[in-house]
Short mmCIF file of all heavy atoms in Angstrom, two decimals:
data_model
loop_
_atom_site.label_atom_id
_atom_site.label_comp_id
_atom_site.label_asym_id
_atom_site.label_seq_id
_atom_site.Cartn_x
_atom_site.Cartn_y
_atom_site.Cartn_z
N HIS A 102 -11.19 30.75 26.40
CA HIS A 102 -12.59 30.43 26.71
C HIS A 102 -13.31 29.79 25.53
O HIS A 102 -14.05 28.81 25.69
CB HIS A 102 -13.34 31.72 27.10
CG HIS A 102 -13.09 32.14 28.51
ND1 HIS A 102 -14.09 32.24 29.46
CD2 HIS A 102 -11.94 32.49 29.16
CE1 HIS A 102 -13.58 32.64 30.60
NE2 HIS A 102 -12.27 32.80 30.45
N PHE A 105 -13.47 25.96 24.64
CA PHE A 105 -14.35 25.04 25.34
C PHE A 105 -15.71 24.90 24.65
O PHE A 105 -16.58 24.19 25.14
CB PHE A 105 -14.59 25.52 26.79
CG PHE A 105 -13.43 25.28 27.70
CD1 PHE A 105 -12.43 26.23 27.84
CD2 PHE A 105 -13.33 24.10 28.42
CE1 PHE A 105 -11.36 26.01 28.69
CE2 PHE A 105 -12.26 23.87 29.27
CZ PHE A 105 -11.26 24.83 29.40
N LYS A 106 -15.90 25.59 23.52
CA LYS A 106 -17.22 25.64 22.88
C LYS A 106 -17.47 24.53 21.88
O LYS A 106 -18.53 24.49 21.25
CB LYS A 106 -17.42 27.01 22.22
CG LYS A 106 -17.35 28.18 23.20
CD LYS A 106 -18.32 27.99 24.36
CE LYS A 106 -18.21 29.11 25.38
NZ LYS A 106 -19.09 28.87 26.55
N GLY A 107 -16.48 23.65 21.70
CA GLY A 107 -16.73 22.50 20.85
C GLY A 107 -16.08 22.59 19.48
O GLY A 107 -15.29 23.48 19.18
N ILE A 111 -18.56 18.27 18.10
CA ILE A 111 -18.90 18.41 19.53
C ILE A 111 -19.57 19.76 19.75
O ILE A 111 -19.07 20.80 19.31
CB ILE A 111 -17.63 18.32 20.41
CG1 ILE A 111 -16.95 16.96 20.21
CG2 ILE A 111 -17.97 18.53 21.88
CD1 ILE A 111 -15.60 16.86 20.90
N GLY A 112 -20.71 19.75 20.43
CA GLY A 112 -21.36 21.00 20.78
C GLY A 112 -22.40 21.50 19.79
O GLY A 112 -22.82 22.65 19.87
N THR A 113 -22.82 20.65 18.86
CA THR A 113 -23.79 21.08 17.86
C THR A 113 -24.72 19.92 17.50
O THR A 113 -24.32 18.76 17.53
CB THR A 113 -23.09 21.58 16.58
OG1 THR A 113 -24.06 22.02 15.63
CG2 THR A 113 -22.22 20.50 15.98
N VAL A 160 -26.82 24.84 19.15
CA VAL A 160 -25.74 24.61 20.11
C VAL A 160 -26.16 23.64 21.21
O VAL A 160 -27.28 23.71 21.72
CB VAL A 160 -25.28 25.95 20.74
CG1 VAL A 160 -24.25 25.70 21.83
CG2 VAL A 160 -24.71 26.87 19.66
N ILE A 161 -25.24 22.74 21.57
CA ILE A 161 -25.38 21.90 22.76
C ILE A 161 -24.44 22.48 23.81
O ILE A 161 -23.23 22.24 23.74
CB ILE A 161 -25.04 20.44 22.47
CG1 ILE A 161 -25.87 19.89 21.31
CG2 ILE A 161 -25.24 19.58 23.72
CD1 ILE A 161 -25.48 18.48 20.92
N PRO A 162 -24.95 23.26 24.75
CA PRO A 162 -24.06 23.93 25.72
C PRO A 162 -23.27 22.93 26.57
O PRO A 162 -23.79 21.90 26.98
CB PRO A 162 -25.04 24.73 26.59
CG PRO A 162 -26.29 24.86 25.77
CD PRO A 162 -26.36 23.59 24.96
N ASN A 163 -22.00 23.25 26.78
CA ASN A 163 -21.14 22.50 27.71
C ASN A 163 -20.97 21.03 27.34
O ASN A 163 -20.70 20.20 28.22
CB ASN A 163 -21.69 22.60 29.14
CG ASN A 163 -21.80 24.04 29.62
OD1 ASN A 163 -20.91 24.84 29.41
ND2 ASN A 163 -22.92 24.35 30.25
N GLU A 164 -21.11 20.69 26.05
CA GLU A 164 -20.96 19.28 25.69
C GLU A 164 -19.52 18.80 25.86
O GLU A 164 -19.29 17.65 26.26
CB GLU A 164 -21.41 19.02 24.24
CG GLU A 164 -21.40 17.52 23.94
CD GLU A 164 -21.92 17.17 22.57
OE1 GLU A 164 -21.78 17.98 21.63
OE2 GLU A 164 -22.46 16.06 22.43
N PHE A 165 -18.55 19.66 25.60
CA PHE A 165 -17.16 19.26 25.80
C PHE A 165 -16.93 18.93 27.28
O PHE A 165 -16.32 17.90 27.60
CB PHE A 165 -16.21 20.38 25.36
CG PHE A 165 -14.76 20.00 25.47
CD1 PHE A 165 -14.12 19.35 24.43
CD2 PHE A 165 -14.03 20.29 26.62
CE1 PHE A 165 -12.78 18.98 24.53
CE2 PHE A 165 -12.70 19.93 26.73
CZ PHE A 165 -12.07 19.27 25.68
N ASN A 166 -17.43 19.78 28.17
CA ASN A 166 -17.29 19.52 29.61
C ASN A 166 -17.96 18.21 29.99
O ASN A 166 -17.42 17.44 30.80
CB ASN A 166 -17.91 20.67 30.41
CG ASN A 166 -17.34 22.02 30.03
OD1 ASN A 166 -17.14 22.31 28.85
ND2 ASN A 166 -17.10 22.88 31.00
N ARG A 167 -19.13 17.95 29.41
CA ARG A 167 -19.88 16.73 29.72
C ARG A 167 -19.11 15.49 29.28
O ARG A 167 -19.05 14.48 30.00
CB ARG A 167 -21.26 16.76 29.05
CG ARG A 167 -22.13 15.55 29.37
CD ARG A 167 -23.40 15.55 28.55
NE ARG A 167 -23.13 15.45 27.12
CZ ARG A 167 -22.81 14.31 26.49
NH1 ARG A 167 -22.69 13.19 27.19
NH2 ARG A 167 -22.59 14.30 25.19
N LEU A 168 -18.48 15.57 28.11
CA LEU A 168 -17.72 14.42 27.61
C LEU A 168 -16.49 14.16 28.48
O LEU A 168 -16.13 13.00 28.74
CB LEU A 168 -17.30 14.66 26.16
CG LEU A 168 -18.42 14.61 25.13
CD1 LEU A 168 -17.92 15.07 23.77
CD2 LEU A 168 -19.00 13.20 25.03
N ILE A 169 -15.85 15.24 28.92
CA ILE A 169 -14.71 15.07 29.83
C ILE A 169 -15.15 14.35 31.10
O ILE A 169 -14.50 13.42 31.58
CB ILE A 169 -14.08 16.43 30.17
CG1 ILE A 169 -13.32 17.01 28.97
CG2 ILE A 169 -13.16 16.31 31.38
CD1 ILE A 169 -12.03 16.29 28.64
N SER A 170 -16.30 14.77 31.65
CA SER A 170 -16.83 14.13 32.87
C SER A 170 -17.24 12.69 32.61
O SER A 170 -17.06 11.81 33.46
CB SER A 170 -18.03 14.93 33.39
OG SER A 170 -17.66 16.25 33.72
N GLN A 171 -17.80 12.43 31.43
CA GLN A 171 -18.25 11.08 31.08
C GLN A 171 -17.11 10.08 31.12
O GLN A 171 -17.29 8.92 31.48
CB GLN A 171 -18.88 11.10 29.69
CG GLN A 171 -19.36 9.75 29.19
CD GLN A 171 -20.01 9.85 27.82
OE1 GLN A 171 -20.70 10.81 27.50
NE2 GLN A 171 -19.77 8.84 26.97
N LEU A 177 -11.83 20.28 35.48
CA LEU A 177 -11.56 20.85 34.16
C LEU A 177 -11.34 22.35 34.27
O LEU A 177 -12.15 23.07 34.86
CB LEU A 177 -12.74 20.57 33.23
CG LEU A 177 -12.62 21.07 31.79
CD1 LEU A 177 -11.50 20.34 31.06
CD2 LEU A 177 -13.94 20.87 31.05
N LEU A 203 -10.23 13.95 22.74
CA LEU A 203 -11.04 15.15 22.95
C LEU A 203 -10.18 16.41 22.82
O LEU A 203 -10.59 17.39 22.18
CB LEU A 203 -11.70 15.10 24.33
CG LEU A 203 -12.90 14.17 24.46
CD1 LEU A 203 -13.33 14.05 25.92
CD2 LEU A 203 -14.07 14.66 23.60
N ARG A 214 -18.11 29.26 18.33
CA ARG A 214 -19.53 29.53 18.54
C ARG A 214 -19.74 30.23 19.88
O ARG A 214 -18.90 30.18 20.78
CB ARG A 214 -20.35 28.25 18.46
CG ARG A 214 -19.92 27.17 19.44
CD ARG A 214 -20.86 25.98 19.45
NE ARG A 214 -20.96 25.31 18.16
CZ ARG A 214 -20.19 24.28 17.79
NH1 ARG A 214 -19.27 23.81 18.62
NH2 ARG A 214 -20.35 23.72 16.61
N MET A 215 -20.89 30.87 20.02
CA MET A 215 -21.29 31.53 21.28
C MET A 215 -20.26 32.56 21.75
O MET A 215 -20.08 32.79 22.93
CB MET A 215 -21.51 30.48 22.38
CG MET A 215 -22.61 29.47 22.07
SD MET A 215 -22.82 28.24 23.36
CE MET A 215 -23.47 29.29 24.68
N THR A 218 -21.71 35.77 23.93
CA THR A 218 -21.98 35.55 25.35
C THR A 218 -20.70 35.27 26.12
O THR A 218 -20.58 35.67 27.28
CB THR A 218 -22.95 34.37 25.53
OG1 THR A 218 -22.43 33.21 24.86
CG2 THR A 218 -24.32 34.69 24.94
N GLU A 219 -19.74 34.61 25.49
CA GLU A 219 -18.49 34.31 26.19
C GLU A 219 -17.67 35.56 26.41
O GLU A 219 -16.91 35.66 27.39
CB GLU A 219 -17.68 33.27 25.41
CG GLU A 219 -16.63 32.58 26.24
CD GLU A 219 -17.21 31.84 27.42
OE1 GLU A 219 -18.34 31.32 27.31
OE2 GLU A 219 -16.54 31.77 28.47
N THR A 222 -18.53 36.91 29.66
CA THR A 222 -17.90 36.16 30.75
C THR A 222 -16.46 36.61 30.97
O THR A 222 -16.02 36.77 32.12
CB THR A 222 -17.91 34.65 30.42
OG1 THR A 222 -19.26 34.23 30.22
CG2 THR A 222 -17.29 33.85 31.55
#
Side-chain angles (χ1 to χ4, degrees):
H102 280 241
F105 284 90
K106 300 306 177 184
I111 300 172
T113 181
V160 174
I161 305 175
N163 302 317
E164 186 176 30
F165 183 87
N166 305 42
R167 182 187 63 78
L168 289 171
I169 288 289
S170 299
Q171 179 179 323
L177 181 66
L203 284 171
R214 57 173 60 92
M215 299 179 68
T218 54
E219 199 60 33
T222 302

